[in-house]
Amino acid sequence: MTEKYPTAEVQPGTKSNAKAKSGTFETTGSYTDPTAGKPAPTAFQCSSVNASGSWTVNLDRG
């Protein structure tokens, strides 16, 4: 989130779910970014994959 939207503020209720078998996390929630003109909460979803000790995070929606 903060790489794409550096001034975004993740809102309460955002949750991450670990999927141990696949080594991934899925995060869903919302953010606001008043500095960028987005004062209303905007939904987002990220997926994180661990490959050989390095994490890759994809912003799937947001």
Side-chain angles (χ1 to χ4, degrees):
M1 280 297 303
T2 57
E3 187 174 312
K4 186 169 183 178
Y5 305 112
T7 57
E9 299 174 9
V10 175
Q11 297 301 296
T14 296
K15 297 182 180 185
S16 292
N17 295 311
K19 298 193 174 196
K21 289 184 180 182
S22 62
T24 64
F25 282 92
E26 290 183 1
T27 304
T28 56
S30 63
Y31 71 94
T32 58
D33 197 346
T35 304
K38 293 184 176 184
T42 302
F44 76 92
Q45 180 177 341
C46 295
S47 57
S48 306
V49 180
N50 187 344
S52 301
S54 179
W55 286 93
T56 300
V57 179
N58 298 303
L59 182 59
D60 302 323
R61 180 182 48 150

